[in-house]
Amino acid sequence: MTSLPVVDQPPHRCGALVDHLARRLRLRSESVLAPLGLRPRHLIALTVLRDRGGSSQQQLAKVLEIDSTNVVTLLNELETENLIERRRSPADRRRHLVELTDVGAKLLARAEFALTAVEDEVFSGLSDDQRETLYTLLQQAASTSATEACREIPPC
């Protein structure tokens, strides 16, 4: 019988674990968001618009890492519900600027409140301090990714 060669273990990688937690969060979040008429992709877009104070459609597509055709469909859904507003850029009439409406901001706040219970369940093994640290680290990783995505389409 031949023995297998001993292979050094690679360093810990977060990708699979983050993906697993994201799936758990997504499944539970979908059931909480559905009564509000939202899907996770809506929530992400609304959050980005709130945090950035608005965006061009092209920049939003880059930050969300989705095709520009799909971002138009997403924005159509949000605009139908009066959650966002699109208007022509005064500086460049070919561009649309997208902003969160008051209705969108209020619904986003309700959704985030409803998702608190989901996060409490998924992250129940972490202390409050650990959750805050995790949030800070994830925010830093997301910010870096968004900044890199925006380098191709200034200004962000």
Side-chain angles (χ1 to χ4, degrees), residues 60-108:
L60 191 58
K62 280 288 189 187
V63 170
L64 297 176
E65 297 184 20
I66 61 176
D67 183 79
S68 59
T69 303
N70 292 333
V71 85
V72 169
T73 302
L74 171 65
L75 294 176
N76 286 344
E77 293 169 359
L78 296 172
E79 191 170 43
T80 298
E81 299 300 321
N82 192 33
L83 303 177
I84 58 114
E85 177 181 75
R86 282 184 280 199
R87 57 184 167 78
R88 294 277 181 195
S89 167
D92 183 351
R93 301 289 297 160
R94 296 169 294 172
R95 291 185 142 190
H96 279 97
L97 299 177
V98 184
E99 293 181 331
L100 191 63
T101 64
D102 288 341
V103 172
K106 288 176 185 172
L107 185 61
L108 178 58

Short mmCIF file of all heavy atoms in Angstrom, two decimals, residues 60-108:
data_model
loop_
_atom_site.label_atom_id
_atom_site.label_comp_id
_atom_site.label_asym_id
_atom_site.label_seq_id
_atom_site.Cartn_x
_atom_site.Cartn_y
_atom_site.Cartn_z
N LEU A 60 -23.11 52.71 -10.41
CA LEU A 60 -23.85 51.75 -9.60
C LEU A 60 -23.66 50.33 -10.12
O LEU A 60 -23.46 49.39 -9.34
CB LEU A 60 -25.33 52.13 -9.56
CG LEU A 60 -26.20 51.39 -8.56
CD1 LEU A 60 -25.69 51.58 -7.14
CD2 LEU A 60 -27.65 51.85 -8.67
N ALA A 61 -23.69 50.17 -11.42
CA ALA A 61 -23.46 48.85 -12.02
C ALA A 61 -22.08 48.32 -11.65
O ALA A 61 -21.92 47.14 -11.32
CB ALA A 61 -23.61 48.91 -13.54
N LYS A 62 -21.08 49.20 -11.66
CA LYS A 62 -19.72 48.78 -11.30
C LYS A 62 -19.64 48.40 -9.82
O LYS A 62 -19.07 47.37 -9.47
CB LYS A 62 -18.71 49.91 -11.58
CG LYS A 62 -18.30 49.99 -13.00
CD LYS A 62 -17.41 48.83 -13.35
CE LYS A 62 -16.82 49.03 -14.72
NZ LYS A 62 -16.07 47.86 -15.17
N VAL A 63 -20.20 49.23 -8.95
CA VAL A 63 -20.14 48.96 -7.51
C VAL A 63 -20.88 47.68 -7.17
O VAL A 63 -20.42 46.87 -6.37
CB VAL A 63 -20.70 50.16 -6.70
CG1 VAL A 63 -20.85 49.80 -5.24
CG2 VAL A 63 -19.78 51.36 -6.85
N LEU A 64 -22.05 47.47 -7.80
CA LEU A 64 -22.84 46.26 -7.54
C LEU A 64 -22.29 45.05 -8.29
O LEU A 64 -22.74 43.93 -8.06
CB LEU A 64 -24.30 46.49 -7.94
CG LEU A 64 -25.05 47.57 -7.16
CD1 LEU A 64 -26.45 47.76 -7.73
CD2 LEU A 64 -25.11 47.23 -5.68
N GLU A 65 -21.35 45.31 -9.20
CA GLU A 65 -20.73 44.28 -10.01
C GLU A 65 -21.78 43.49 -10.79
O GLU A 65 -21.78 42.25 -10.81
CB GLU A 65 -19.85 43.37 -9.16
CG GLU A 65 -18.69 44.11 -8.53
CD GLU A 65 -17.75 43.22 -7.75
OE1 GLU A 65 -17.72 42.00 -7.97
OE2 GLU A 65 -17.00 43.78 -6.91
N ILE A 66 -22.68 44.24 -11.44
CA ILE A 66 -23.67 43.62 -12.33
C ILE A 66 -23.65 44.34 -13.67
O ILE A 66 -23.23 45.49 -13.77
CB ILE A 66 -25.09 43.61 -11.73
CG1 ILE A 66 -25.60 45.03 -11.46
CG2 ILE A 66 -25.15 42.77 -10.47
CD1 ILE A 66 -27.05 45.06 -10.96
N ASP A 67 -24.09 43.66 -14.68
CA ASP A 67 -24.15 44.19 -16.03
C ASP A 67 -25.06 45.42 -16.07
O ASP A 67 -26.06 45.49 -15.36
CB ASP A 67 -24.70 43.09 -16.96
CG ASP A 67 -24.73 43.54 -18.39
OD1 ASP A 67 -23.67 43.52 -19.04
OD2 ASP A 67 -25.83 43.91 -18.86
N SER A 68 -24.71 46.40 -16.91
CA SER A 68 -25.48 47.64 -16.97
C SER A 68 -26.93 47.39 -17.39
O SER A 68 -27.83 48.11 -16.96
CB SER A 68 -24.81 48.65 -17.89
OG SER A 68 -24.67 48.12 -19.19
N THR A 69 -27.18 46.37 -18.21
CA THR A 69 -28.56 46.03 -18.58
C THR A 69 -29.34 45.56 -17.36
O THR A 69 -30.50 45.94 -17.16
CB THR A 69 -28.57 44.92 -19.66
OG1 THR A 69 -27.80 45.37 -20.77
CG2 THR A 69 -29.98 44.59 -20.10
N ASN A 70 -28.70 44.76 -16.53
CA ASN A 70 -29.36 44.26 -15.32
C ASN A 70 -29.59 45.36 -14.29
O ASN A 70 -30.56 45.32 -13.55
CB ASN A 70 -28.56 43.11 -14.70
CG ASN A 70 -28.58 41.88 -15.58
OD1 ASN A 70 -29.51 41.67 -16.35
ND2 ASN A 70 -27.55 41.06 -15.47
N VAL A 71 -28.68 46.34 -14.24
CA VAL A 71 -28.89 47.44 -13.29
C VAL A 71 -30.09 48.27 -13.72
O VAL A 71 -30.84 48.76 -12.89
CB VAL A 71 -27.62 48.30 -13.09
CG1 VAL A 71 -27.45 49.38 -14.13
CG2 VAL A 71 -27.64 48.95 -11.72
N VAL A 72 -30.33 48.39 -15.02
CA VAL A 72 -31.51 49.12 -15.50
C VAL A 72 -32.77 48.41 -15.05
O VAL A 72 -33.72 49.04 -14.56
CB VAL A 72 -31.47 49.29 -17.04
CG1 VAL A 72 -32.80 49.81 -17.57
CG2 VAL A 72 -30.33 50.24 -17.44
N THR A 73 -32.80 47.09 -15.18
CA THR A 73 -33.96 46.30 -14.73
C THR A 73 -34.18 46.48 -13.23
O THR A 73 -35.30 46.69 -12.77
CB THR A 73 -33.77 44.82 -15.07
OG1 THR A 73 -33.58 44.69 -16.48
CG2 THR A 73 -34.95 43.98 -14.63
N LEU A 74 -33.10 46.39 -12.47
CA LEU A 74 -33.17 46.58 -11.02
C LEU A 74 -33.72 47.96 -10.67
O LEU A 74 -34.61 48.10 -9.84
CB LEU A 74 -31.78 46.38 -10.40
CG LEU A 74 -31.59 46.74 -8.94
CD1 LEU A 74 -32.43 45.84 -8.05
CD2 LEU A 74 -30.13 46.64 -8.56
N LEU A 75 -33.19 48.98 -11.33
CA LEU A 75 -33.64 50.35 -11.05
C LEU A 75 -35.09 50.56 -11.49
O LEU A 75 -35.83 51.30 -10.83
CB LEU A 75 -32.71 51.35 -11.71
CG LEU A 75 -31.28 51.37 -11.16
CD1 LEU A 75 -30.41 52.34 -11.95
CD2 LEU A 75 -31.25 51.67 -9.68
N ASN A 76 -35.50 49.92 -12.56
CA ASN A 76 -36.91 50.01 -12.98
C ASN A 76 -37.82 49.48 -11.88
O ASN A 76 -38.85 50.08 -11.58
CB ASN A 76 -37.15 49.22 -14.27
CG ASN A 76 -36.58 49.91 -15.49
OD1 ASN A 76 -36.26 51.10 -15.48
ND2 ASN A 76 -36.44 49.16 -16.57
N GLU A 77 -37.43 48.36 -11.28
CA GLU A 77 -38.23 47.77 -10.19
C GLU A 77 -38.30 48.73 -9.00
O GLU A 77 -39.38 48.94 -8.44
CB GLU A 77 -37.61 46.44 -9.74
CG GLU A 77 -37.68 45.35 -10.78
CD GLU A 77 -36.83 44.14 -10.43
OE1 GLU A 77 -36.15 44.13 -9.37
OE2 GLU A 77 -36.84 43.17 -11.22
N LEU A 78 -37.18 49.33 -8.64
CA LEU A 78 -37.15 50.25 -7.50
C LEU A 78 -37.89 51.55 -7.81
O LEU A 78 -38.56 52.10 -6.94
CB LEU A 78 -35.70 50.53 -7.11
CG LEU A 78 -34.90 49.34 -6.60
CD1 LEU A 78 -33.43 49.70 -6.42
CD2 LEU A 78 -35.49 48.79 -5.32
N GLU A 79 -37.78 52.01 -9.03
CA GLU A 79 -38.45 53.25 -9.41
C GLU A 79 -39.96 53.07 -9.45
O GLU A 79 -40.71 53.98 -9.05
CB GLU A 79 -37.93 53.72 -10.77
CG GLU A 79 -38.35 55.13 -11.13
CD GLU A 79 -37.64 55.64 -12.35
OE1 GLU A 79 -37.50 54.87 -13.34
OE2 GLU A 79 -37.21 56.80 -12.34
N THR A 80 -40.42 51.91 -9.89
CA THR A 80 -41.86 51.62 -9.92
C THR A 80 -42.47 51.74 -8.54
O THR A 80 -43.60 52.19 -8.38
CB THR A 80 -42.11 50.19 -10.49
OG1 THR A 80 -41.63 50.16 -11.83
CG2 THR A 80 -43.57 49.82 -10.46
N GLU A 81 -41.71 51.39 -7.51
CA GLU A 81 -42.19 51.47 -6.13
C GLU A 81 -41.86 52.81 -5.47
O GLU A 81 -42.04 52.97 -4.26
CB GLU A 81 -41.59 50.31 -5.31
CG GLU A 81 -41.98 48.94 -5.81
CD GLU A 81 -43.48 48.70 -5.79
OE1 GLU A 81 -44.14 49.13 -4.83
OE2 GLU A 81 -43.98 48.09 -6.76
N ASN A 82 -41.33 53.75 -6.26
CA ASN A 82 -40.96 55.08 -5.77
C ASN A 82 -39.87 55.03 -4.68
O ASN A 82 -39.83 55.86 -3.79
CB ASN A 82 -42.19 55.85 -5.26
CG ASN A 82 -41.90 57.31 -5.01
OD1 ASN A 82 -41.10 57.92 -5.70
ND2 ASN A 82 -42.54 57.87 -3.99
N LEU A 83 -38.99 54.03 -4.78
CA LEU A 83 -37.91 53.89 -3.81
C LEU A 83 -36.66 54.64 -4.25
O LEU A 83 -35.83 55.01 -3.41
CB LEU A 83 -37.59 52.41 -3.59
CG LEU A 83 -38.77 51.55 -3.14
CD1 LEU A 83 -38.36 50.09 -3.03
CD2 LEU A 83 -39.34 52.06 -1.83
N ILE A 84 -36.53 54.84 -5.56
CA ILE A 84 -35.42 55.62 -6.11
C ILE A 84 -35.97 56.59 -7.15
O ILE A 84 -37.09 56.44 -7.62
CB ILE A 84 -34.33 54.72 -6.76
CG1 ILE A 84 -34.90 53.85 -7.89
CG2 ILE A 84 -33.66 53.85 -5.73
CD1 ILE A 84 -34.37 54.20 -9.24
N GLU A 85 -35.11 57.55 -7.49
CA GLU A 85 -35.47 58.51 -8.53
C GLU A 85 -34.29 58.61 -9.48
O GLU A 85 -33.14 58.72 -9.04
CB GLU A 85 -35.76 59.86 -7.90
CG GLU A 85 -36.08 60.95 -8.90
CD GLU A 85 -36.36 62.26 -8.22
OE1 GLU A 85 -35.38 62.90 -7.75
OE2 GLU A 85 -37.54 62.64 -8.14
N ARG A 86 -34.59 58.56 -10.79
CA ARG A 86 -33.55 58.77 -11.80
C ARG A 86 -33.83 60.08 -12.50
O ARG A 86 -34.98 60.40 -12.82
CB ARG A 86 -33.58 57.65 -12.85
CG ARG A 86 -32.95 56.38 -12.40
CD ARG A 86 -32.94 55.39 -13.51
NE ARG A 86 -34.24 54.74 -13.62
CZ ARG A 86 -34.46 53.60 -14.24
NH1 ARG A 86 -33.48 52.98 -14.85
NH2 ARG A 86 -35.65 53.08 -14.29
N ARG A 87 -32.76 60.82 -12.72
CA ARG A 87 -32.89 62.06 -13.48
C ARG A 87 -31.63 62.24 -14.31
O ARG A 87 -30.58 61.66 -14.01
CB ARG A 87 -33.14 63.25 -12.56
CG ARG A 87 -32.12 63.47 -11.50
CD ARG A 87 -32.50 64.61 -10.55
NE ARG A 87 -31.66 64.60 -9.39
CZ ARG A 87 -30.41 65.05 -9.37
NH1 ARG A 87 -29.87 65.56 -10.43
NH2 ARG A 87 -29.69 65.00 -8.26
N ARG A 88 -31.75 63.01 -15.35
CA ARG A 88 -30.59 63.28 -16.22
C ARG A 88 -29.57 64.13 -15.48
O ARG A 88 -29.92 65.02 -14.72
CB ARG A 88 -31.03 64.02 -17.48
CG ARG A 88 -31.92 63.22 -18.38
CD ARG A 88 -31.10 62.33 -19.25
NE ARG A 88 -31.99 61.58 -20.13
CZ ARG A 88 -31.62 60.53 -20.79
NH1 ARG A 88 -30.38 60.09 -20.69
NH2 ARG A 88 -32.46 59.90 -21.56
N SER A 89 -28.33 63.83 -15.72
CA SER A 89 -27.24 64.61 -15.14
C SER A 89 -27.20 65.97 -15.83
O SER A 89 -27.17 66.03 -17.06
CB SER A 89 -25.91 63.90 -15.34
OG SER A 89 -24.84 64.76 -15.05
N PRO A 90 -27.19 67.05 -15.05
CA PRO A 90 -27.09 68.37 -15.67
C PRO A 90 -25.75 68.56 -16.40
O PRO A 90 -25.67 69.29 -17.37
CB PRO A 90 -27.24 69.35 -14.52
CG PRO A 90 -27.20 68.57 -13.27
CD PRO A 90 -27.31 67.12 -13.60
N ALA A 91 -24.72 67.88 -15.94
CA ALA A 91 -23.40 68.01 -16.54
C ALA A 91 -23.26 67.18 -17.83
O ALA A 91 -22.51 67.54 -18.73
CB ALA A 91 -22.32 67.59 -15.55
N ASP A 92 -23.99 66.07 -17.89
CA ASP A 92 -23.91 65.17 -19.05
C ASP A 92 -25.28 64.55 -19.26
O ASP A 92 -25.64 63.58 -18.58
CB ASP A 92 -22.84 64.10 -18.80
CG ASP A 92 -22.65 63.17 -20.00
OD1 ASP A 92 -23.44 63.23 -20.96
OD2 ASP A 92 -21.70 62.37 -19.96
N ARG A 93 -26.03 65.07 -20.19
CA ARG A 93 -27.42 64.65 -20.41
C ARG A 93 -27.54 63.19 -20.83
O ARG A 93 -28.62 62.63 -20.80
CB ARG A 93 -28.09 65.55 -21.46
CG ARG A 93 -28.11 67.02 -21.10
CD ARG A 93 -29.04 67.36 -19.98
NE ARG A 93 -30.42 67.07 -20.33
CZ ARG A 93 -31.40 66.90 -19.46
NH1 ARG A 93 -31.15 67.02 -18.17
NH2 ARG A 93 -32.61 66.62 -19.83
N ARG A 94 -26.44 62.55 -21.19
CA ARG A 94 -26.48 61.13 -21.54
C ARG A 94 -26.51 60.23 -20.32
O ARG A 94 -26.86 59.07 -20.41
CB ARG A 94 -25.27 60.75 -22.40
CG ARG A 94 -25.24 61.47 -23.74
CD ARG A 94 -23.90 61.26 -24.41
NE ARG A 94 -22.89 61.94 -23.60
CZ ARG A 94 -21.58 61.84 -23.80
NH1 ARG A 94 -21.11 61.09 -24.76
NH2 ARG A 94 -20.73 62.49 -23.02
N ARG A 95 -26.15 60.78 -19.18
CA ARG A 95 -26.07 60.00 -17.94
C ARG A 95 -27.31 60.21 -17.08
O ARG A 95 -27.87 61.29 -17.04
CB ARG A 95 -24.86 60.42 -17.11
CG ARG A 95 -23.58 60.03 -17.74
CD ARG A 95 -22.46 60.36 -16.81
NE ARG A 95 -21.50 59.28 -16.95
CZ ARG A 95 -20.48 59.10 -16.17
NH1 ARG A 95 -20.26 59.90 -15.17
NH2 ARG A 95 -19.64 58.11 -16.37
N HIS A 96 -27.66 59.15 -16.37
CA HIS A 96 -28.73 59.24 -15.38
C HIS A 96 -28.12 59.21 -13.99
O HIS A 96 -27.24 58.40 -13.71
CB HIS A 96 -29.70 58.04 -15.49
CG HIS A 96 -30.70 58.19 -16.56
ND1 HIS A 96 -30.54 57.63 -17.81
CD2 HIS A 96 -31.89 58.84 -16.59
CE1 HIS A 96 -31.58 57.91 -18.55
NE2 HIS A 96 -32.42 58.65 -17.84
N LEU A 97 -28.57 60.09 -13.13
CA LEU A 97 -28.19 60.07 -11.72
C LEU A 97 -29.31 59.36 -10.96
O LEU A 97 -30.49 59.59 -11.23
CB LEU A 97 -28.00 61.49 -11.19
CG LEU A 97 -26.91 62.30 -11.87
CD1 LEU A 97 -26.87 63.71 -11.30
CD2 LEU A 97 -25.56 61.63 -11.69
N VAL A 98 -28.93 58.52 -10.04
CA VAL A 98 -29.89 57.73 -9.26
C VAL A 98 -29.77 58.13 -7.80
O VAL A 98 -28.66 58.17 -7.26
CB VAL A 98 -29.61 56.22 -9.41
CG1 VAL A 98 -30.66 55.40 -8.68
CG2 VAL A 98 -29.51 55.82 -10.87
N GLU A 99 -30.91 58.44 -7.19
CA GLU A 99 -30.91 58.81 -5.77
C GLU A 99 -32.04 58.10 -5.05
O GLU A 99 -33.09 57.79 -5.63
CB GLU A 99 -31.08 60.32 -5.62
CG GLU A 99 -29.89 61.09 -6.14
CD GLU A 99 -30.04 62.59 -5.97
OE1 GLU A 99 -31.18 63.08 -5.98
OE2 GLU A 99 -29.00 63.25 -5.82
N LEU A 100 -31.82 57.85 -3.79
CA LEU A 100 -32.81 57.25 -2.91
C LEU A 100 -33.89 58.29 -2.60
O LEU A 100 -33.57 59.44 -2.31
CB LEU A 100 -32.11 56.81 -1.63
CG LEU A 100 -32.84 55.92 -0.65
CD1 LEU A 100 -33.19 54.59 -1.27
CD2 LEU A 100 -31.96 55.70 0.58
N THR A 101 -35.15 57.89 -2.65
CA THR A 101 -36.24 58.78 -2.27
C THR A 101 -36.50 58.67 -0.77
O THR A 101 -35.97 57.77 -0.11
CB THR A 101 -37.55 58.42 -3.01
OG1 THR A 101 -37.96 57.11 -2.60
CG2 THR A 101 -37.38 58.49 -4.52
N ASP A 102 -37.31 59.56 -0.24
CA ASP A 102 -37.68 59.46 1.17
C ASP A 102 -38.41 58.15 1.44
O ASP A 102 -38.19 57.51 2.48
CB ASP A 102 -38.57 60.64 1.59
CG ASP A 102 -37.80 61.95 1.67
OD1 ASP A 102 -36.56 61.91 1.76
OD2 ASP A 102 -38.44 63.01 1.64
N VAL A 103 -39.26 57.73 0.51
CA VAL A 103 -39.97 56.45 0.64
C VAL A 103 -38.97 55.31 0.69
O VAL A 103 -39.08 54.40 1.51
CB VAL A 103 -40.97 56.25 -0.53
CG1 VAL A 103 -41.57 54.85 -0.51
CG2 VAL A 103 -42.06 57.31 -0.50
N GLY A 104 -37.96 55.37 -0.18
CA GLY A 104 -36.92 54.34 -0.20
C GLY A 104 -36.12 54.31 1.08
O GLY A 104 -35.79 53.24 1.60
N ALA A 105 -35.79 55.48 1.61
CA ALA A 105 -35.02 55.55 2.85
C ALA A 105 -35.81 54.97 4.02
O ALA A 105 -35.26 54.24 4.86
CB ALA A 105 -34.62 56.99 3.15
N LYS A 106 -37.10 55.26 4.07
CA LYS A 106 -37.94 54.74 5.15
C LYS A 106 -38.10 53.22 5.04
O LYS A 106 -38.02 52.51 6.05
CB LYS A 106 -39.30 55.42 5.14
CG LYS A 106 -39.23 56.85 5.61
CD LYS A 106 -40.57 57.55 5.50
CE LYS A 106 -40.40 59.03 5.87
NZ LYS A 106 -41.60 59.81 5.60
N LEU A 107 -38.30 52.72 3.83
CA LEU A 107 -38.43 51.27 3.65
C LEU A 107 -37.11 50.57 3.97
O LEU A 107 -37.10 49.50 4.58
CB LEU A 107 -38.90 50.92 2.24
CG LEU A 107 -39.19 49.45 1.99
CD1 LEU A 107 -40.30 48.94 2.91
CD2 LEU A 107 -39.55 49.21 0.54
N LEU A 108 -36.01 51.17 3.58
CA LEU A 108 -34.69 50.60 3.89
C LEU A 108 -34.50 50.51 5.40
O LEU A 108 -34.02 49.49 5.91
CB LEU A 108 -33.59 51.44 3.25
CG LEU A 108 -32.15 51.01 3.53
CD1 LEU A 108 -31.90 49.57 3.09
CD2 LEU A 108 -31.19 51.97 2.85
#
